[in-house]
Amino acid sequence: AKSQSVAKETNKRAVNYSNRGKSLEDDLNETNMFYLHRNMANIHKKPVPIQIVKVDYPARSAAVIKEAYFRTPSTTDYNGVWNGYYIDFEAKETDSKTSFPLKNIHPHQMDHMHSVTIQRGVAFFIVRFSTLNRNFVISYHVVAKWFSAMGEGGRKSIPIAVFEQDAIEISEGYVPRLDYLQAVKKLIANY
Amino acid sequence: AKSQSVAKETNKRAVNYSNRGKSLEDDLNETNMFYLHRNMANIHKKPVPIQIVKVDYPARSAAVIKEAYFRTPSTTDYNGVWNGYYIDFEAKETDSKTSFPLKNIHPHQMDHMHSVTIQRGVAFFIVRFSTLNRNFVISYHVVAKWFSAMGEGGRKSIPIAVFEQDAIEISEGYVPRLDYLQAVKKLIANY
Ligand SMILES: [Mg+2]
Ligand SMILES: [Mg+2]
């Protein structure tokens, strides 16, 4: 009965969500709220790290940050827990129709994910090919192979054929908007 | 040989770290860096969430945030992964010598930790009694018992005797500065 009512809700809300053009981040935040409220997972986007330089404390109102700078994140965009597994991922969008450019990935993000896998966490990327409207969950291990090949003079992007072969595609258009947890479960099963 | 050199380093650095008065957060950040660099754990403090209102983009220099506000965090201070376990905790300091006031804890932090334990993550508090210079790792489950008792008219603080009995004390004064991972391992063993 429970899965039926979710299915109905899905149909209803699919109308509202049918408008394209939402960012991957928006879709993931909505999806994470969906998981959280249904006790399916506890995964959050981390706040953007800020270097605060000057704060005003006006009488009788909230503190105002008057000067601050964006800092480079030392980790990934999202982390959390599902069913005892530590989940850690980075979300990336590309306009390319043919491949995912590795320049989108910072070396420190790879270092972080390497460290996560050493601690037996589950690390991956969610990559959206915006123009194609296709989304993939791709394991850190697959990306790492291409990333180090690039370091040794290999190509600077991962062809979409690799995603089709070695990653897990997520379809859009229902609630949750981008049900990546299904793909993560498959990823874990193959770990 | 490796553990010996670490032991030596401990003695050396104990001198530098012997000055009191560092915040709990500083001690934890140092400890987390220690764990990270030795592949012992991957645990980070989350950035403070900020609502950005106005950003200037000066020519040829970094973007400057000119107006922003502090937002209430929806989760806890720290999370990460150790040996396959999702780790999630909140750090709190109190000046009291006799008990930990529960008003230090926001209900949304309890909700978050409840959700984490549903997902089989490990949730706890690190509480520093600053005046006594004593630090404890206390399980979410213990705090939750006192928190809900307070909601039903019970006392508004957890006596230090409860910490001595039901929490795990961490000693200071070596490298890492506050080796809470040892306590967390005990906590997990008793989960
Ligand atoms: Mg990203
Ligand atoms: Mg705190």
Side-chain angles (χ1 to χ4, degrees), chain A residues 36 39-42 44 47 50 52 63 65-70 75 79-84 86 112 115 119-120, chain B residues 36 39-42 44 47 50 63 65-70 75 79-84 86 112 115 119-120:
Chain A
L36 186 67
N39 286 329
M40 292 169 68
N42 185 316
H44 294 270
I50 300 289
I52 297 170
I65 298 163
K66 295 299 243 179
E67 185 185 351
Y69 298 88
F70 295 101
T75 64
N79 75 354
V81 58
W82 166 73
N83 191 31
Y86 173 78
H112 169 73
S115 161
Q119 293 301 328
R120 306 201 289 125
Chain B
L36 186 68
N39 287 329
M40 292 169 68
N42 184 315
H44 294 270
I50 299 289
I65 298 162
K66 294 298 244 179
E67 185 185 350
Y69 298 88
F70 295 101
T75 63
N79 75 355
V81 58
W82 166 74
N83 190 31
Y86 173 77
H112 169 74
S115 161
Q119 293 301 327
R120 305 202 288 126

Side-chain angles (χ1 to χ4, degrees), chain B residues 3 26 43 62 74 112 119-120 130-131 135 154 167 169 172 184:
Chain B
S3 63
D26 288 340
I43 299 167
S74 55
H112 169 74
Q119 293 301 327
R120 305 202 288 126
S130 320
T131 314
N135 302 277
E169 187 157 9
E172 284 182 54
V184 172

